Amino acid sequence: MKKKMTFHINNMAYTINVADELEPEIIRFLSPEKHVNTQDLLLAYIRRTQEFYNFKQDIKEISDKLPPL
Protein backbone atom coordinates (compact mmCIF):
# COMPACT_ATOMS: atom_id res chain seq x y z
CA MET A 1 0.00 0.00 0.00
CA LYS A 2 1.20 3.53 -0.75
CA LYS A 3 1.43 6.31 1.78
CA LYS A 4 1.83 10.04 1.19
CA MET A 5 4.66 11.71 3.04
CA THR A 6 5.26 15.44 3.08
CA PHE A 7 8.66 16.97 3.72
CA HIS A 8 9.31 20.67 4.27
CA ILE A 9 12.60 21.60 2.61
CA ASN A 10 13.76 25.21 2.37
CA ASN A 11 10.25 26.38 3.34
CA MET A 12 8.59 24.46 0.52
CA ALA A 13 6.43 21.35 0.92
CA TYR A 14 7.18 18.24 -1.12
CA THR A 15 4.74 15.33 -1.02
CA ILE A 16 5.76 11.90 -2.25
CA ASN A 17 4.09 8.49 -2.38
CA VAL A 18 6.04 5.68 -0.74
CA ALA A 19 5.34 2.06 0.11
CA ASP A 20 4.32 1.66 3.75
CA GLU A 21 7.30 -0.56 4.51
CA LEU A 22 9.74 2.13 3.31
CA GLU A 23 8.54 4.82 5.69
CA PRO A 24 10.70 3.73 8.66
CA GLU A 25 13.76 3.68 6.42
CA ILE A 26 13.05 7.15 5.06
CA ILE A 27 12.42 8.82 8.41
CA ARG A 28 15.61 7.41 9.93
CA PHE A 29 17.57 10.23 8.33
CA LEU A 30 14.91 12.73 7.25
CA SER A 31 12.08 13.73 9.56
CA PRO A 32 8.80 14.76 7.95
CA GLU A 33 7.89 16.60 11.15
CA LYS A 34 10.51 19.35 11.00
CA HIS A 35 11.61 21.89 8.46
CA VAL A 36 14.95 21.02 6.89
CA ASN A 37 17.31 22.93 4.70
CA THR A 38 19.42 21.79 1.76
CA GLN A 39 22.32 20.96 4.07
CA ASP A 40 20.13 18.61 6.14
CA LEU A 41 18.85 16.96 2.98
CA LEU A 42 22.38 16.46 1.66
CA LEU A 43 23.51 15.04 5.00
CA ALA A 44 20.61 12.55 4.99
CA TYR A 45 21.53 11.50 1.45
CA ILE A 46 25.20 11.01 2.36
CA ARG A 47 24.32 8.99 5.47
CA ARG A 48 22.01 6.75 3.46
CA THR A 49 24.60 6.35 0.70
CA GLN A 50 27.24 5.41 3.26
CA GLU A 51 24.89 2.85 4.80
CA PHE A 52 24.20 1.36 1.36
CA TYR A 53 27.93 1.25 0.56
CA ASN A 54 28.67 -0.59 3.83
CA PHE A 55 25.87 -3.06 3.08
CA LYS A 56 27.27 -3.60 -0.41
CA GLN A 57 30.75 -4.26 1.02
CA ASP A 58 29.31 -6.78 3.50
CA ILE A 59 27.53 -8.62 0.68
CA LYS A 60 30.74 -8.66 -1.36
CA GLU A 61 32.71 -10.13 1.56
CA ILE A 62 30.11 -12.85 2.03
CA SER A 63 30.00 -13.57 -1.72
CA ASP A 64 33.78 -13.84 -1.87
CA LYS A 65 33.66 -16.57 0.78
CA LEU A 66 31.21 -18.69 -1.21
CA PRO A 67 32.68 -21.40 -3.42
CA PRO A 68 32.44 -20.74 -7.17
CA LEU A 69 29.73 -22.61 -9.05
Side-chain angles (χ1 to χ4, degrees), residues 39-56:
Q39 182 180 358
D40 297 328
L41 185 60
L42 179 60
L43 185 58
Y45 173 78
I46 291 170
R47 286 180 178 159
R48 192 63 178 160
T49 301
Q50 182 178 10
E51 187 178 81
F52 174 74
Y53 176 78
N54 291 339
F55 176 72
K56 187 174 157 183

PDB file of all heavy atoms in Angstrom, residues 39-56:
ATOM      1  N   GLN A  39      21.222  21.625   3.379  1.00  0.00           N
ATOM      2  CA  GLN A  39      22.324  20.959   4.068  1.00  0.00           C
ATOM      3  C   GLN A  39      21.842  19.697   4.789  1.00  0.00           C
ATOM      4  O   GLN A  39      22.482  18.652   4.711  1.00  0.00           O
ATOM      5  CB  GLN A  39      22.971  21.913   5.061  1.00  0.00           C
ATOM      6  CG  GLN A  39      24.153  21.312   5.786  1.00  0.00           C
ATOM      7  CD  GLN A  39      24.779  22.303   6.764  1.00  0.00           C
ATOM      8  OE1 GLN A  39      24.353  23.451   6.877  1.00  0.00           O
ATOM      9  NE2 GLN A  39      25.785  21.858   7.469  1.00  0.00           N
ATOM     10  N   ASP A  40      20.691  19.783   5.467  1.00  0.00           N
ATOM     11  CA  ASP A  40      20.127  18.611   6.139  1.00  0.00           C
ATOM     12  C   ASP A  40      19.780  17.512   5.141  1.00  0.00           C
ATOM     13  O   ASP A  40      19.999  16.329   5.395  1.00  0.00           O
ATOM     14  CB  ASP A  40      18.856  18.981   6.917  1.00  0.00           C
ATOM     15  CG  ASP A  40      19.098  19.973   8.026  1.00  0.00           C
ATOM     16  OD1 ASP A  40      20.196  19.953   8.617  1.00  0.00           O
ATOM     17  OD2 ASP A  40      18.181  20.774   8.303  1.00  0.00           O
ATOM     18  N   LEU A  41      19.224  17.914   4.013  1.00  0.00           N
ATOM     19  CA  LEU A  41      18.852  16.960   2.975  1.00  0.00           C
ATOM     20  C   LEU A  41      20.087  16.263   2.414  1.00  0.00           C
ATOM     21  O   LEU A  41      20.104  15.040   2.243  1.00  0.00           O
ATOM     22  CB  LEU A  41      18.082  17.668   1.864  1.00  0.00           C
ATOM     23  CG  LEU A  41      17.514  16.806   0.757  1.00  0.00           C
ATOM     24  CD1 LEU A  41      16.525  15.791   1.309  1.00  0.00           C
ATOM     25  CD2 LEU A  41      16.837  17.683  -0.280  1.00  0.00           C
ATOM     26  N   LEU A  42      21.135  17.034   2.158  1.00  0.00           N
ATOM     27  CA  LEU A  42      22.383  16.465   1.659  1.00  0.00           C
ATOM     28  C   LEU A  42      22.994  15.513   2.686  1.00  0.00           C
ATOM     29  O   LEU A  42      23.466  14.428   2.341  1.00  0.00           O
ATOM     30  CB  LEU A  42      23.370  17.569   1.299  1.00  0.00           C
ATOM     31  CG  LEU A  42      24.731  17.119   0.789  1.00  0.00           C
ATOM     32  CD1 LEU A  42      24.593  16.277  -0.476  1.00  0.00           C
ATOM     33  CD2 LEU A  42      25.617  18.327   0.531  1.00  0.00           C
ATOM     34  N   LEU A  43      22.977  15.892   3.945  1.00  0.00           N
ATOM     35  CA  LEU A  43      23.509  15.042   4.999  1.00  0.00           C
ATOM     36  C   LEU A  43      22.745  13.719   5.084  1.00  0.00           C
ATOM     37  O   LEU A  43      23.348  12.648   5.214  1.00  0.00           O
ATOM     38  CB  LEU A  43      23.466  15.775   6.337  1.00  0.00           C
ATOM     39  CG  LEU A  43      24.083  15.072   7.521  1.00  0.00           C
ATOM     40  CD1 LEU A  43      25.551  14.736   7.266  1.00  0.00           C
ATOM     41  CD2 LEU A  43      23.941  15.934   8.769  1.00  0.00           C
ATOM     42  N   ALA A  44      21.416  13.776   4.974  1.00  0.00           N
ATOM     43  CA  ALA A  44      20.606  12.551   4.988  1.00  0.00           C
ATOM     44  C   ALA A  44      20.968  11.662   3.807  1.00  0.00           C
ATOM     45  O   ALA A  44      21.092  10.436   3.946  1.00  0.00           O
ATOM     46  CB  ALA A  44      19.117  12.902   4.961  1.00  0.00           C
ATOM     47  N   TYR A  45      21.160  12.258   2.644  1.00  0.00           N
ATOM     48  CA  TYR A  45      21.531  11.502   1.449  1.00  0.00           C
ATOM     49  C   TYR A  45      22.902  10.838   1.636  1.00  0.00           C
ATOM     50  O   TYR A  45      23.078   9.664   1.318  1.00  0.00           O
ATOM     51  CB  TYR A  45      21.549  12.422   0.223  1.00  0.00           C
ATOM     52  CG  TYR A  45      22.079  11.739  -1.008  1.00  0.00           C
ATOM     53  CD1 TYR A  45      21.286  10.858  -1.725  1.00  0.00           C
ATOM     54  CD2 TYR A  45      23.385  11.954  -1.431  1.00  0.00           C
ATOM     55  CE1 TYR A  45      21.780  10.214  -2.850  1.00  0.00           C
ATOM     56  CE2 TYR A  45      23.889  11.315  -2.555  1.00  0.00           C
ATOM     57  CZ  TYR A  45      23.078  10.452  -3.250  1.00  0.00           C
ATOM     58  OH  TYR A  45      23.571   9.804  -4.344  1.00  0.00           O
ATOM     59  N   ILE A  46      23.858  11.573   2.165  1.00  0.00           N
ATOM     60  CA  ILE A  46      25.201  11.013   2.364  1.00  0.00           C
ATOM     61  C   ILE A  46      25.171   9.887   3.384  1.00  0.00           C
ATOM     62  O   ILE A  46      25.811   8.841   3.185  1.00  0.00           O
ATOM     63  CB  ILE A  46      26.190  12.122   2.772  1.00  0.00           C
ATOM     64  CG1 ILE A  46      26.427  13.049   1.582  1.00  0.00           C
ATOM     65  CG2 ILE A  46      27.508  11.542   3.266  1.00  0.00           C
ATOM     66  CD1 ILE A  46      27.198  14.309   1.920  1.00  0.00           C
ATOM     67  N   ARG A  47      24.423  10.058   4.461  1.00  0.00           N
ATOM     68  CA  ARG A  47      24.320   8.988   5.467  1.00  0.00           C
ATOM     69  C   ARG A  47      23.711   7.727   4.867  1.00  0.00           C
ATOM     70  O   ARG A  47      24.175   6.626   5.114  1.00  0.00           O
ATOM     71  CB  ARG A  47      23.483   9.461   6.653  1.00  0.00           C
ATOM     72  CG  ARG A  47      24.208  10.421   7.535  1.00  0.00           C
ATOM     73  CD  ARG A  47      23.346  10.844   8.684  1.00  0.00           C
ATOM     74  NE  ARG A  47      24.069  11.726   9.564  1.00  0.00           N
ATOM     75  CZ  ARG A  47      23.498  12.559  10.403  1.00  0.00           C
ATOM     76  NH1 ARG A  47      22.178  12.630  10.481  1.00  0.00           N
ATOM     77  NH2 ARG A  47      24.220  13.326  11.176  1.00  0.00           N
ATOM     78  N   ARG A  48      22.669   7.906   4.085  1.00  0.00           N
ATOM     79  CA  ARG A  48      22.006   6.746   3.458  1.00  0.00           C
ATOM     80  C   ARG A  48      22.926   6.088   2.431  1.00  0.00           C
ATOM     81  O   ARG A  48      22.980   4.867   2.341  1.00  0.00           O
ATOM     82  CB  ARG A  48      20.705   7.205   2.799  1.00  0.00           C
ATOM     83  CG  ARG A  48      19.825   6.091   2.373  1.00  0.00           C
ATOM     84  CD  ARG A  48      19.375   5.294   3.567  1.00  0.00           C
ATOM     85  NE  ARG A  48      18.484   4.257   3.130  1.00  0.00           N
ATOM     86  CZ  ARG A  48      18.211   3.180   3.807  1.00  0.00           C
ATOM     87  NH1 ARG A  48      18.732   2.992   4.982  1.00  0.00           N
ATOM     88  NH2 ARG A  48      17.402   2.285   3.324  1.00  0.00           N
ATOM     89  N   THR A  49      23.659   6.886   1.678  1.00  0.00           N
ATOM     90  CA  THR A  49      24.602   6.354   0.702  1.00  0.00           C
ATOM     91  C   THR A  49      25.707   5.574   1.396  1.00  0.00           C
ATOM     92  O   THR A  49      26.100   4.487   0.950  1.00  0.00           O
ATOM     93  CB  THR A  49      25.194   7.494  -0.147  1.00  0.00           C
ATOM     94  OG1 THR A  49      24.119   8.168  -0.808  1.00  0.00           O
ATOM     95  CG2 THR A  49      26.174   6.962  -1.184  1.00  0.00           C
ATOM     96  N   GLN A  50      26.205   6.107   2.507  1.00  0.00           N
ATOM     97  CA  GLN A  50      27.242   5.413   3.263  1.00  0.00           C
ATOM     98  C   GLN A  50      26.719   4.081   3.809  1.00  0.00           C
ATOM     99  O   GLN A  50      27.410   3.064   3.759  1.00  0.00           O
ATOM    100  CB  GLN A  50      27.744   6.288   4.407  1.00  0.00           C
ATOM    101  CG  GLN A  50      28.861   5.640   5.195  1.00  0.00           C
ATOM    102  CD  GLN A  50      29.377   6.548   6.302  1.00  0.00           C
ATOM    103  OE1 GLN A  50      28.795   7.579   6.598  1.00  0.00           O
ATOM    104  NE2 GLN A  50      30.473   6.156   6.902  1.00  0.00           N
ATOM    105  N   GLU A  51      25.497   4.084   4.302  1.00  0.00           N
ATOM    106  CA  GLU A  51      24.885   2.853   4.799  1.00  0.00           C
ATOM    107  C   GLU A  51      24.766   1.818   3.676  1.00  0.00           C
ATOM    108  O   GLU A  51      25.073   0.641   3.867  1.00  0.00           O
ATOM    109  CB  GLU A  51      23.516   3.169   5.392  1.00  0.00           C
ATOM    110  CG  GLU A  51      22.869   2.005   6.082  1.00  0.00           C
ATOM    111  CD  GLU A  51      21.542   2.412   6.679  1.00  0.00           C
ATOM    112  OE1 GLU A  51      20.550   2.468   5.925  1.00  0.00           O
ATOM    113  OE2 GLU A  51      21.504   2.666   7.893  1.00  0.00           O
ATOM    114  N   PHE A  52      24.324   2.255   2.504  1.00  0.00           N
ATOM    115  CA  PHE A  52      24.200   1.362   1.363  1.00  0.00           C
ATOM    116  C   PHE A  52      25.566   0.809   0.952  1.00  0.00           C
ATOM    117  O   PHE A  52      25.709  -0.382   0.671  1.00  0.00           O
ATOM    118  CB  PHE A  52      23.551   2.087   0.181  1.00  0.00           C
ATOM    119  CG  PHE A  52      23.532   1.264  -1.073  1.00  0.00           C
ATOM    120  CD1 PHE A  52      22.655   0.209  -1.221  1.00  0.00           C
ATOM    121  CD2 PHE A  52      24.408   1.534  -2.099  1.00  0.00           C
ATOM    122  CE1 PHE A  52      22.648  -0.563  -2.376  1.00  0.00           C
ATOM    123  CE2 PHE A  52      24.419   0.773  -3.253  1.00  0.00           C
ATOM    124  CZ  PHE A  52      23.532  -0.276  -3.388  1.00  0.00           C
ATOM    125  N   TYR A  53      26.582   1.672   0.927  1.00  0.00           N
ATOM    126  CA  TYR A  53      27.930   1.247   0.563  1.00  0.00           C
ATOM    127  C   TYR A  53      28.442   0.181   1.538  1.00  0.00           C
ATOM    128  O   TYR A  53      29.004  -0.837   1.125  1.00  0.00           O
ATOM    129  CB  TYR A  53      28.879   2.440   0.535  1.00  0.00           C
ATOM    130  CG  TYR A  53      30.310   2.039   0.250  1.00  0.00           C
ATOM    131  CD1 TYR A  53      30.718   1.747  -1.041  1.00  0.00           C
ATOM    132  CD2 TYR A  53      31.240   1.929   1.282  1.00  0.00           C
ATOM    133  CE1 TYR A  53      32.024   1.358  -1.307  1.00  0.00           C
ATOM    134  CE2 TYR A  53      32.539   1.537   1.027  1.00  0.00           C
ATOM    135  CZ  TYR A  53      32.932   1.257  -0.264  1.00  0.00           C
ATOM    136  OH  TYR A  53      34.212   0.857  -0.512  1.00  0.00           O
ATOM    137  N   ASN A  54      28.238   0.395   2.834  1.00  0.00           N
ATOM    138  CA  ASN A  54      28.668  -0.589   3.834  1.00  0.00           C
ATOM    139  C   ASN A  54      27.951  -1.919   3.637  1.00  0.00           C
ATOM    140  O   ASN A  54      28.556  -2.985   3.741  1.00  0.00           O
ATOM    141  CB  ASN A  54      28.440  -0.062   5.248  1.00  0.00           C
ATOM    142  CG  ASN A  54      29.356   1.086   5.591  1.00  0.00           C
ATOM    143  OD1 ASN A  54      30.396   1.279   4.982  1.00  0.00           O
ATOM    144  ND2 ASN A  54      28.959   1.879   6.566  1.00  0.00           N
ATOM    145  N   PHE A  55      26.651  -1.853   3.342  1.00  0.00           N
ATOM    146  CA  PHE A  55      25.873  -3.060   3.082  1.00  0.00           C
ATOM    147  C   PHE A  55      26.422  -3.790   1.856  1.00  0.00           C
ATOM    148  O   PHE A  55      26.607  -5.006   1.860  1.00  0.00           O
ATOM    149  CB  PHE A  55      24.403  -2.684   2.880  1.00  0.00           C
ATOM    150  CG  PHE A  55      23.532  -3.851   2.523  1.00  0.00           C
ATOM    151  CD1 PHE A  55      23.212  -4.813   3.458  1.00  0.00           C
ATOM    152  CD2 PHE A  55      23.021  -3.976   1.242  1.00  0.00           C
ATOM    153  CE1 PHE A  55      22.410  -5.888   3.129  1.00  0.00           C
ATOM    154  CE2 PHE A  55      22.219  -5.044   0.896  1.00  0.00           C
ATOM    155  CZ  PHE A  55      21.911  -6.005   1.852  1.00  0.00           C
ATOM    156  N   LYS A  56      26.726  -3.030   0.820  1.00  0.00           N
ATOM    157  CA  LYS A  56      27.272  -3.598  -0.411  1.00  0.00           C
ATOM    158  C   LYS A  56      28.616  -4.293  -0.143  1.00  0.00           C
ATOM    159  O   LYS A  56      28.876  -5.378  -0.659  1.00  0.00           O
ATOM    160  CB  LYS A  56      27.431  -2.482  -1.443  1.00  0.00           C
ATOM    161  CG  LYS A  56      27.821  -2.915  -2.812  1.00  0.00           C
ATOM    162  CD  LYS A  56      27.789  -1.689  -3.723  1.00  0.00           C
ATOM    163  CE  LYS A  56      28.664  -1.892  -4.917  1.00  0.00           C
ATOM    164  NZ  LYS A  56      28.724  -0.721  -5.775  1.00  0.00           N
TER     165      LYS A  56
END
